[in-house]
Amino acid sequence: MPKQVLSAGSRLSGARHRLLAFSSLIALIVIFSLAAPDFLSAGNVIAILQSTSVNGVLAIAATLVIITGGIDLSVGTLMTFCAVIAGVVLTYWGLPLGLGVLAAIAAGSLAGLTSGTCVAKLRIPPFIATLGMMLALKGLALVISGTRPIYFNNTPGFTEIAQGSLVGMVLPALPLPNGVLILFLVAIMASFILQRTILGRYTFALGSNEEAVRLSGVNTDRWKMAVYALAGGICGIAGLLIASRLNSAQPALGQGYELDAIAAVVIGGTSLSGGRGTIVGTLIGALIMSVLAFGLRLLSVPQEWQFVVTGSIIILAVYVDILRRGKA
């Protein structure tokens, strides 16, 4: 079958999966609205969007890596590590806010580059490389912070990163938190990179057929390392968002976030085998995760059953991806 037909079939299949995910999101909203009439109150909607901002940014980072055919288990602990770095720069060293932001993003990029180097140069499987990075970053965050939270009480403007509302200053009737605005900006940037840049083209190519790309003379190691570094920098942004929301860097926080992020990626239609995925789908997946978690809490569903429901949805999403790949 010609390559063009296969590509068109994959795009059609992906569009159907995104439509299915979006339909599922609408169905969840309708169900929870009927079960709890105040579910769609302005305060609840803002809370859902605010909770989506952190997981959504992490999911975007995970999407880039998964499209290459890899996996990154360190996104949650990397987020925490970057928050701690920001805390050290801003609170312990007393440097300006801009330098703290740059330090967090740079630390994330460096950690991502390290993971990418282990995968590309040392040929360590992504699962093992990022698992090791997850444990190392968890330890480093505890060591650097002295196992204590770092508070940003003396850093003016830090809480505004996630909790302020630039949109609300212009449109008082729409107090959209800055964290949500940052999520949308990161999504636009990542989507542009994937669709309009050479890095994006090689990201998909690596996931589709890395060996063919290598045989065509492309330095696949360099591009793979670039993807991991970019994903790490995005995790740095997530670290700033969660630290801003909590007004502190919690060194023990972060573990488990990678599972929610990967779940959002899979639910959004990105294939775990690589070569296929969209940022729009990932955003839909992140919203589904947030709506589901918020709705179950609102209905006072025990946390253990929340885990059961979430896990079942992840398994179903992976099975749908297997069926989709089989048809493609």
Side-chain angles (χ1 to χ4, degrees):
M1 183 177 294
K3 185 184 297 184
Q4 297 93 317
V5 177
L6 283 173
S7 178
S10 297
R11 286 196 296 269
L12 182 59
S13 177
R16 287 174 178 169
H17 193 110
R18 290 193 297 276
L19 180 60
L20 176 61
F22 184 72
S23 300
S24 301
L25 174 62
I26 298 301
L28 282 175
I29 292 175
V30 171
I31 291 171
F32 286 130
S33 298
L34 293 175
D38 61 339
F39 177 76
L40 284 180
S41 65
N44 286 345
V45 171
I46 289 177
I48 291 172
L49 291 175
Q50 186 75 296
S51 65
T52 305
S53 61
V54 173
N55 189 45
V57 171
L58 283 181
I60 290 171
T63 299
L64 298 175
V65 174
I66 291 174
I67 289 176
T68 66
I71 194 77
D72 193 344
L73 299 179
S74 68
V75 292
T77 50
L78 178 52
M79 172 188 72
T80 301
F81 176 75
C82 293
V84 169
I85 293 297
V88 170
V89 172
L90 296 175
T91 301
Y92 290 174
W93 297 351
L95 295 177
L97 179 61
L99 290 179
V101 171
L102 290 176
I105 296 175
S109 296
L110 180 59
L113 179 62
T114 303
S115 294
T117 301
C118 291
V119 173
K121 295 294 186 181
L122 303 182
R123 301 292 185 263
I124 299 175
F127 184 92
I128 301 301
T130 57
L131 176 62
M133 180 60 69
M134 178 184 74
L135 296 174
L137 291 172
K138 181 178 180 180
L140 285 173
L142 291 169
V143 170
I144 293 173
S145 65
T147 70
R148 297 186 302 272
I150 303 175
Y151 295 96
F152 296 92
N153 295 328
N154 297 322
T155 306
F158 187 79
T159 57
E160 296 297 310
I161 292 176
Q163 301 184 60
S165 180
L166 293 175
V167 176
M169 293 174 61
V170 179
L171 300 172
L174 187 62
L176 191 70
N178 288 339
V180 180
L181 182 62
I182 290 172
L183 168 62
F184 291 151
L185 292 176
V186 171
I188 292 171
M189 176 200 71
S191 184
F192 177 82
I193 290 173
L194 284 178
Q195 301 299 327
R196 302 293 181 182
T197 68
I198 188 171
L199 176 59
R201 289 195 292 273
Y202 283 134
T203 299
F204 284 105
L206 288 171
S208 298
N209 194 330
E210 182 178 346
E211 187 60 25
V213 177
R214 181 181 291 110
L215 292 175
S216 66
V218 175
N219 188 336
T220 56
D221 291 349
R222 182 178 65 182
W223 291 108
K224 187 177 293 186
M225 290 161 61
V227 172
Y228 276 85
L230 175 61
I234 294 175
C235 290
I237 296 175
L240 292 168
L241 289 178
I242 195 167
S244 176
R245 280 181 58 191
L246 300 175
N247 197 31
S248 64
Q250 302 285 338
L253 188 67
Q255 193 164 356
Y257 276 80
E258 66 280 347
L259 301 180
D260 289 340
I262 294 173
V265 174
V266 174
I267 292 172
T270 297
S271 176
L272 287 174
S273 62
R276 183 167 55 223
T278 64
I279 301 300
V280 172
T282 294
L283 287 180
I284 294 173
L287 281 170
I288 287 175
M289 294 292 293
S290 296
V291 168
L292 183 64
F294 192 88
L296 291 176
R297 285 199 300 269
L298 195 63
L299 296 178
S300 300
V301 175
Q303 189 175 32
E304 55 269 25
W305 283 108
Q306 293 182 35
F307 291 144
V308 172
V309 172
T310 303
S312 300
I313 289 176
I314 294 172
I315 293 173
L316 178 62
V318 173
Y319 180 64
V320 170
D321 177 56
I322 292 172
L323 292 179
R324 183 175 54 149
R325 281 188 282 128
K327 290 181 179 180

